Amino acid sequence: MRFLLSSIFLLLVSCAPYPKKQGFSANALSKETLVNPFFSDATKDYVYKSKITIYDKTLGGILIIKKTAEEQHRIVFTTEMGNTIFDFTLTGEQFKVNRILADLDRKIIVKTLQRDFTALIKENLMATKGFTNGTTTIRQAKLLGKFHYYTFENGKLVQITRTGNTREKVVFRFSGINDNIAQEIQIDHQNIRLQIGLKSF
């Protein structure tokens, strides 16, 4: 009987939403728009020194993100010598590959980068659930068919977590936030060897 109760408890915990596993409690939330303020100013060029590790390849260079129209961004990653590694255009959830290095031109890599950059720059999403733990709040939203959890500390977006089967799949961490610019961004995949490190300059 004790084994059965323990098994049921573990099953319930494993099926709990991601925020509850982190010790957050659900709060009353009518549907609301949550705002990701990063990369939202069309008058700015967002320039980052970048390091991207994909499987056994490590690429360093400059990442430039520019808002070119409402719901549209251009994302260009070049070497420090100016050679293009990839060049994407994101319009809403529509993704266009303008150019990509042949070694990276694989469906799984392109789709993963599409998901990552869509989450990184999507400005407005409909939050469907809310969770809280003191001054920290989490909002749940769906993007490209996947649940994303947006963590705010004292009103600032500090983390985005994409989950699958209630487990972390990708974690975006924002630090050194000033005037809606994150000085450092770290994107870590939990199930594949892909990390993206960005440092503003």
Side-chain angles (χ1 to χ4, degrees), residues 129-186:
K129 289 184 180 179
F131 304 84
T132 187
N133 182 2
T135 59
T136 303
T137 61
I138 294 179
R139 296 288 182 261
Q140 174 188 288
K142 213 165 192 182
L143 183 60
L144 295 175
K146 301 291 184 181
F147 283 118
H148 289 67
Y149 293 91
Y150 291 72
T151 302
F152 295 83
E153 290 182 358
N154 299 313
K156 289 184 178 180
L157 178 61
V158 296
Q159 184 169 301
I160 302 171
T161 305
R162 181 163 74 238
T163 64
N165 297 323
T166 75
R167 295 184 179 181
E168 290 183 356
K169 293 293 185 183
V170 190
V171 180
F172 302 71
R173 295 182 179 88
F174 307 95
S175 59
I177 300 166
N178 184 32
D179 193 25
N180 290 332
I181 296 175
Q183 297 301 313
E184 294 192 32
I185 301 171
Q186 185 68 35

Side-chain angles (χ1 to χ4, degrees), residues 12-24 165-168:
L12 290 173
V13 169
S14 65
C15 294
Y18 164 78
K20 288 191 175 182
K21 288 184 176 181
Q22 309 305 310
F24 284 74
N165 297 323
T166 75
R167 295 184 179 181
E168 290 183 356

Side-chain angles (χ1 to χ4, degrees), residues 12-80:
L12 290 173
V13 169
S14 65
C15 294
Y18 164 78
K20 288 191 175 182
K21 288 184 176 181
Q22 309 305 310
F24 284 74
S25 302
N27 60 8
L29 172 73
S30 57
K31 289 188 177 181
E32 64 177 33
T33 300
L34 68 83
V35 178
N36 174 356
F38 306 126
F39 310 107
S40 61
D41 188 341
T43 67
K44 293 181 179 178
D45 292 337
Y46 298 91
V47 183
Y48 287 84
K49 188 173 181 64
S50 309
K51 180 180 176 182
I52 300 179
T53 300
I54 303 178
Y55 298 107
D56 59 344
K57 298 183 183 299
T58 298
L59 305 169
I62 308 298
L63 184 77
I64 303 170
I65 300 178
K66 173 73 174 175
K67 183 176 181 179
T68 53
E70 193 63 31
E71 289 290 312
Q72 185 176 87
H73 290 75
R74 188 80 175 265
I75 302 157
V76 179
F77 182 37
T78 70
T79 66
E80 293 190 5

Side-chain angles (χ1 to χ4, degrees), residues 72-75 87-91 94-98:
Q72 185 176 87
H73 290 75
R74 188 80 175 265
I75 302 157
D87 178 349
F88 304 140
T89 300
L90 261 169
T91 307
Q94 300 300 309
F95 185 74
K96 180 183 177 184
V97 178
N98 302 310

